[in-house]
Amino acid sequence: MLTYSFDNRNKKSLYEYLYTCIKDDIISGKLTPDTKLPSKRDFAKNHGISVVTVENAYGQLLAEGYIYSLPKKGFYVSEINNNYNTTGNHSFKNTAFNNISSSNQPYNVNNNAGASLENTGAPLENAAVNLVYSHTPKDNFPFSVWAKLMRQVLTYEGDDALNVPPTGGVMKLRRAIAHHLYEFRGITVNPEQIIIGAGTEYLYGLIVQLLGRDLAYGLENPSSRKIVNIYRSLGVKVNALDMDDEGVIPDSIGLANSQIIQISPSHHFPTGIVTSISRRYGLLQWANNSHGRYIIEDDYDSEFRLQGKPIPSLFSIDATDKVIYFNTFTKSLASTIRISYMVLPVPLLERFKQQLGFYACTVSNFEQYTLAHFIEDGFLDKHINRMRNHYRDIRDNLIGLLMKSSIKDRINIYEENSGLHFLLKYDTELTDEQLKQKASKKGLLISFLSDYITGNSYSPDNYSHIAIVNYSGISMDDVAITAKLLEEICL
């Protein structure tokens, strides 16, 4: 029986400590691939801990790809394979969809109905329930705290707030972000590596200038149409990186033909999947195989994983300076607070200073100092915890109503713990376009996985009838009508 001592946990919770012990044994090779782990009940009894503790530890290991499960058989150790040049049949085994064919072609936004979703105007404003775009209800923003901190900045730091900041932003904010990354994401960086900008769109522009417009950039398929359009507008070639339920497929033609790739390994949009640890190490090896290759890690929604610990970032396990980390405060605070940042590897930081050091920071000093105090004084952590509980309540109530509705036997729900959306698969003969038309007539704005796929060679049936339910912009008062509308469009 696998046995660990819990005497020196260093303030870690029981499940975090157990998760760490098992993970370390897998990485070191003490637990070899395909080794069967003890049942949750036996493990708990042997260690004198609760079954819930073991269940949470196994759940975290499962989410990160260190172990896998077989129905009615138990949990087994995964193979942590660093070789990313493997081939084989790659399929979505544990999610709402099956394997797709590699598109083997660049992105073509005209092939995708999802482009229309992100370019419409009036229908978004007129929708009674919006499950496509994220926005922050006014009751969820800490107006009083923000106003108090801004007054303090104007009173006590007015002179500093009027000084011209360095290209990367106000150092006080960069230090606050560095500390936050260490505490929350296990990332250790020098504040100078952090570059602050007004939205990720601006930072993408800097990255393309820094790395080169003559390179090919690979984006996950499916992917946000906005990101695809941004890169295409910057004049670079964009390749599609097809995926399975572990992340980017190793023998994807798009990967072979790209020098730069952008991925969301901790929570992919729109599928919600988490890139397995084996694929993460493999991607790092892919990047390290060539001098000019880099990985842009978009840490999308990482603050709002609603079960277990946040998934460790790719940047935190990168030992070769090949990962560029992106994050933003638009989800954790408000979509209208346009403060984002990237963390550059040290070698790229020196190149950035030489080539792009003439740029001025695009975020006002007043907002930067206010956010710095918001982070330093602990308000961000409190706000994220409060919002995580809020979103969990919204999700639980919405799913609860759906599972009691008249269509409960015709739906399946997936990826509900990864972030602020889940997948809702309908058993229906209607096409996705017909479902969207019915929804629009009822005042419901919703998108489907098929809206975000590029290429003509994938099998449409594998992505059909899977709605993306983004509940981040609805209130508890909206939950009942949202569930009713999601039910009615299937009837």
Side-chain angles (χ1 to χ4, degrees), residues 189-406:
V189 297
N190 187 309
E192 284 206 358
Q193 293 176 251
I194 298 170
I195 309 297
I196 295 166
T200 51
E201 295 94 332
Y202 167 74
L203 296 177
Y204 291 146
L206 291 183
I207 279 295
V208 169
Q209 291 180 67
L210 181 65
L211 300 180
R213 296 181 188 275
D214 58 336
L215 303 179
Y217 290 69
L219 299 179
E220 293 162 317
N221 182 28
S223 186
S224 162
R225 305 314 307 165
K226 184 176 183 180
I227 294 177
V228 175
N229 289 332
I230 288 171
Y231 275 106
R232 290 176 67 88
S233 72
L234 292 169
V236 300
K237 180 182 179 182
V238 182
N239 292 324
L241 307 176
D242 290 326
M243 306 177 67
D244 61 17
D245 63 348
E246 290 191 66
V248 173
I249 293 176
D251 50 1
S252 165
I253 298 298
L255 181 65
N257 291 338
S258 299
Q259 292 79 48
I260 313 298
I261 64 171
Q262 177 170 323
I263 62 173
S264 300
S266 295
H267 180 227
H268 173 254
F269 179 86
T271 66
I273 66 171
V274 175
T275 300
S276 71
I277 189 64
S278 183
R279 291 283 173 89
R280 290 175 186 236
Y281 282 127
L283 283 171
L284 291 174
Q285 185 189 45
W286 168 87
N288 200 41
N289 283 343
S290 175
H291 175 72
R293 289 178 179 172
Y294 287 95
I295 302 169
I296 299 171
E297 177 183 18
D298 182 356
D299 208 14
Y300 171 78
D301 248 7
S302 62
E303 300 92 341
F304 295 109
R305 181 170 177 77
L306 300 183
Q307 180 175 314
K309 289 161 51 68
I311 302 297
S313 70
L314 191 65
F315 191 99
S316 67
I317 63 172
D318 173 31
T320 58
D321 288 329
K322 286 291 187 176
V323 178
I324 303 163
Y325 179 90
F326 268 66
N327 211 331
T328 180
F329 293 97
T330 58
K331 270 294 184 76
S332 54
L333 279 174
S335 54
T336 53
I337 291 185
R338 307 296 296 165
I339 304 179
S340 301
Y341 61 94
M342 62 181 175
V343 183
L344 297 175
V346 173
L348 278 184
L349 176 63
E350 297 307 314
R351 192 199 305 183
F352 180 88
K353 290 177 179 178
Q354 294 172 12
Q355 297 181 14
L356 303 176
F358 60 87
Y359 272 102
C361 183
T362 52
V363 180
S364 82
N365 284 12
F366 294 107
E367 283 189 303
Q368 290 191 62
Y369 276 106
T370 302
L371 179 56
H373 285 290
F374 192 79
I375 297 171
E376 288 177 344
D377 295 347
F379 292 115
L380 179 62
D381 288 347
K382 292 177 182 177
H383 178 69
I384 288 175
N385 288 334
R386 182 173 69 88
M387 293 308 299
R388 191 182 290 118
N389 291 331
H390 166 77
Y391 289 131
R392 186 183 291 109
D393 289 343
I394 295 286
R395 179 205 63 181
D396 290 349
N397 279 273
L398 180 55
I399 291 177
L401 288 175
L402 287 170
M403 299 314 295
K404 294 177 182 177
S405 70
S406 63

Side-chain angles (χ1 to χ4, degrees), residues 96 402-403 407 410-414 422-427 446-448 464-469 486-487 489:
L402 287 170
M403 299 314 295
I407 61 169
R410 296 170 56 194
I411 59 174
N412 284 292
I413 292 170
Y414 303 90
F422 60 82
L423 302 181
L424 175 64
K425 184 170 185 177
Y426 289 105
D427 179 7
I446 192 165
S447 62
F448 288 75
S464 295
H465 312 139
I466 304 174
I468 302 165
V469 182
L486 289 171
E487 175 187 14
I489 66 172

